Amino acid sequence: MSKKRTSDSTLASRDEEMESLEKTKYPRSIAFIISNEFCERFNYYGMRTILVLYLTQKLHYSDDDATVLYHIFTMFVYFFPLMGAVLADSWLGKFKTITYLSMVYSVGSAVIAIGAIPTLGLPASVMTVIGLMLIAIGTGGIKPCVSAFGGDQFKLPEQARHLETFFSLFYFAINAGSLISTSLTPVLREDVHCFGNNDCYSLAFGVPGALMIVSIIIFICGRVLYKVKKPEGNMIVLVSKCIGNAVATRLKEKKHNKREHWLDYAEATYGKQLIDDIKSVLRVLVLFLPLPVFWALFDQQGSRWTFQATRMTGDIGPYAIKPDQLQVVNPLLILGFIPLFSYAVYPMLAKCGIKRPLQKLTTGGILAAIAFLISGFVELELQKTYPVLPTANEGQLRIFNGIPCDYKVISNIPGHENFNILSKGLFEEKHLNLSVGDSFQFKVDFETADPICPRIVGAQVEIQRKKAISYFMQTNKVDPTVLDLVQYEDDPDKGSKGYPVVRVLSNTNKNQEVQFIEVAGDHTVYTFPSGKSNLTAVPPGHYVIRYNGDELKDVQLKLGGVYSFVVTENNLNQASIEEHVIAAPNSIHMLWLLPQYIVITAGEVMFSVTGLEFSFTQAPQSMKSVLQAAWLLTVAFGNLIVVIIAEAKAFDSQAAEFFLFAGLMAVDMGIFIILAIKYKYVEPKNEDETPSPAIDLPQKDSSTNGFKTIDLNNGKNSTNGVENTAFNED
């Protein structure tokens, strides 16, 4: 009997050990969640990296309009987490919310990619706007759910260490997806040619879209392994109802039964504990009021700073950095800066008296202002390289000689009464005064010593206000003794794509096309018709110009350059070509943008990570998710600030706008310092302190708004779990 009892006891002990091992085993479902997050972030950052260039280059939005659309999209991305949180916590649960909204997300990605296929003839602008809205709903809706759903897979406190590993992997997946897609999609956009174009936006959007479909498949495949919790109510909804009740009750009672605080009017319905917690939240929310300005600066990396890069050169030996590829600097630096700041920078700052979270937040904001000061000074240097454009009271005049003869020109153009135009040469005046009237005509006579050259007497050329008017001198096709002046409106500005822009002016007997053939790569051929061609953007590089089987010239076309080529034939029908640089190519290197990226990334580490920690530790246990939602809303309102300033179009100079944002950030941090001085920190309780009574609410779960709060101290108040919220910003 004794042996049997011993045997039973041994079996029971083994069962307990097996059960304990089962509890501590790493959940297999996590692999599906991590893979899903990698694919989703690859899609989001890949699409966003090339978005503003697609809007300007293919959909022909202005830089300002593209900036507005980009930041409206980003604003909604950070607004829709509220919707996703309410859906997950009040109705669908996290699994269904992630699944359904991911499908909406993938449809949005597909709509943009299909709209970018030029041969389909679809309304690309409309499809892009629809696609962006669907993506905002999708990515914003699942943003507060995925990390929290991953946290649900662990049993605490037994798997607390595994939980920490999960959030490290989760953070790695976010940054890996961002790094790879930010590097890859610009290559797919520019280096792949499709549908007869020298780029392939449909592929650049399509590959991230395909990854989004893969993410849904991966996520659903893990369904049998997931721990799926039922929705238990949303704290934001409850807080909103409580505030609404307080306002309504106060209006109803008016001057009767005056309370110390306006929220106290809801105490009868919602209880004192909830009212006190909401008061604590409101004290923190006052500090949040200045924070959107930081995000107004930070998120311009994908808009204004990308446009700034298009006006620079990226050549590094045989390789060329693409303007949108420079955005990879931020996530790359983040991975190195977080440990650097934790172990080196923060201890040094502590010696200078910068220890508390609000001090670090202020320092991060000041760094953002410095970053925009740097970008403003870089822009001032860039402005020196910009082409001269006709102003409000000026016009520009260019005359290209397409005849193999030298001419003396007699005119009444002020300051240019007599001038010469050599064969294949150019007359150029960038500043012709037009203070009165919208246009003005000048008389010109073309004289030449060669009797066989065509002539024209008493011709007229016109300039127009704020326009660059050009004329091409060519032989009359009917009477070769007569010189024709072909008028057209020129555009000396750099192309929106940043590519070199080419126009060919040919006056030849054979009337054949002029070909530009790439020397390297796939030897793509760009053809230009006889006569006056349109301005055409071509990839930068080394080209051979060919006409009628003859190679006329080797040229190096550089980013930002605007070129006109004049082709003529002599009496022996031998063609020759002359290159005219209308706008000088970009000369300042993109690497000069690195300082502003480094400074704003340092500001992000001090501002964003510290802000997430502050909002977590200063919130009552029941209100942590509410403050996390408010933190995301500061990002949304920051993008709204950019939209307002861009729409105002108050500055002709981009440098002035950068300096405005720098000044706005400095003033904003001054206001924040005043608010921070008055703030009293909520210090964490000691472990032997009795925890505050729980709020008696219908819902049991403190995971509200999808921002899971994991208590690693078994009921004690702590700052553990800060990492759990840090991923929601991305």
Side-chain angles (χ1 to χ4, degrees), residues 28-37 215 217-223 225-226:
R28 289 182 296 166
S29 58
I30 293 303
F32 294 91
I33 296 172
I34 294 292
S35 301
N36 164 269
E37 182 65 14
S215 77
I217 296 172
I218 291 173
F219 187 70
I220 294 176
C221 285
R223 174 68 178 87
L225 301 174
Y226 296 144

Side-chain angles (χ1 to χ4, degrees), residues 628-660:
Q628 296 303 316
W631 177 263
L632 285 182
L633 283 179
T634 64
V635 184
F637 285 115
N639 282 270
L640 180 60
I641 292 171
V642 181
V643 171
I644 293 170
I645 292 177
E647 277 287 270
K649 295 180 173 64
F651 300 99
D652 292 329
S653 166
Q654 183 60 62
E657 186 177 292
F658 285 153
F659 289 134
L660 169 71

